[in-house]
Amino acid sequence: EADIYQTPRYLVIGTGKKITLECSQTMGHDKMYWYQQDPGMELHLIHYSYGVNSTEKGDLSSESTVSRIRTEHFPLTLESARPSHTSQYLCASSEDGQGTEAFFGQGTRLTVV
Amino acid sequence: GQNIDQPTEMTATEGAIVQINCTYQTSGFNGLFWYQQHAGEAPTFLSYNVLDGLEEKGRFSSFLSRSKGYSYLLLKELQMKDSASYLCAVRSGGSYIPTFGRGTSLIVHP
């Protein structure tokens, strides 16, 4: 069982609110990722990090920001939520190395009303 | 960029064998993953291929042909709990970040 945790699991929030989605892993992985997934669609990479103080934007344009102050923690923040942000957000981590798979958290299902 | 193609949906009977195909176009191929994702849950790792050939792991096997840009996931002795979405993901270049296909929704019926 993967030791990567996301909170909250479900969140309903009003337009314009600031929110932070939490992600923590206890495996000591350097690499961490945030994906966005709509029902029946592929996972889209929105942010990733190769280690502390390293963050990069992914393929999908996102109005969110991330930080990586500690190895185990990779929170994602939306400064002003909009209905278009309604989606499932999945956090993942992996070790360095060629064949290392990503371990995923349970996800946060966000609804902006 | 990468282009990953999988069938949207497949159905199969309990106890049968099913093959889920994945084709991809990428430069600098660096590995292919299969993940299983049950509805409302996180994807979980099934297999990894970087060299041509078949990798077997219990009821699940995965095959790769790099020259054809093709992989398949073979599920034997299907069980009802195998009903899930199966995601093909490809890494390319020097990146360790996988790009995911849309997934194939497999429905196993009695």
Side-chain angles (χ1 to χ4, degrees), chain A residues 9 31 33 35 37 40-43 45 48 50 59 88 90 96-102 104-106, chain B residues 30-31 33 35 37 40-45 48 50 87 91 94-103:
Chain A
R9 285 292 306 276
K31 295 180 172 59
Y33 319 89
Y35 289 90
Q37 185 182 33
M41 303 295 287
E42 63 264 56
L43 280 73
L45 181 72
Y48 62 97
Y50 282 154
D59 303 324
Q88 163 127 306
L90 288 163
D96 289 330
Q98 178 75 1
T100 56
E101 72 271 27
F104 284 83
Q106 289 294 305
Chain B
N30 192 23
F33 297 83
Y35 285 83
Q37 185 178 26
E41 297 185 11
T44 55
F45 170 77
Y48 171 73
V50 67
L87 312 177
R91 284 197 314 216
S95 170
Y96 286 108
I97 304 169
T99 297
F100 286 81
R102 288 193 173 192

Side-chain angles (χ1 to χ4, degrees), chain A residues 20-76:
Chain A
T20 296
L21 308 185
E22 301 289 347
C23 176
S24 294
Q25 50 96 5
T26 58
M27 297 174 282
H29 290 169
D30 283 330
K31 295 180 172 59
M32 295 190 74
Y33 319 89
W34 276 102
Y35 289 90
Q36 186 174 338
Q37 185 182 33
D38 293 319
M41 303 295 287
E42 63 264 56
L43 280 73
H44 288 288
L45 181 72
I46 49 175
H47 295 283
Y48 62 97
S49 168
Y50 282 154
V52 171
N53 295 325
S54 151
T55 61
E56 301 287 344
K57 287 187 178 293
D59 303 324
L60 182 67
S61 174
S62 173
E63 294 162 340
S64 58
T65 59
V66 292
S67 63
R68 190 84 184 278
I69 299 172
R70 303 197 316 265
T71 298
E72 61 270 23
H73 196 213
F74 191 41
L76 180 144

Side-chain angles (χ1 to χ4, degrees), chain A residues 13-19 78-85 110 112-113:
Chain A
I13 198 165
T15 298
K17 298 292 185 183
K18 177 180 178 179
I19 55 171
L78 278 166
E79 290 293 332
S80 179
R82 294 210 297 268
S84 61
H85 295 139
L110 173 66
V112 183
V113 298

Side-chain angles (χ1 to χ4, degrees), chain B residues 17-22 32-35 46-49 53-64 70-78 86:
Chain B
I17 299 172
V18 71
Q19 178 175 311
I20 302 174
N21 296 325
C22 172
L32 186 144
F33 297 83
W34 283 96
Y35 285 83
L46 290 177
S47 68
Y48 171 73
N49 295 72
L54 188 68
E55 295 281 341
E56 296 186 79
K57 192 184 291 186
R59 293 190 299 116
F60 293 3
S61 303
S62 57
F63 171 83
L64 175 68
Y70 168 70
S71 173
Y72 68 73
L73 181 69
L74 192 71
L75 292 77
K76 303 175 187 175
E77 302 169 16
L78 280 172
Y86 291 86

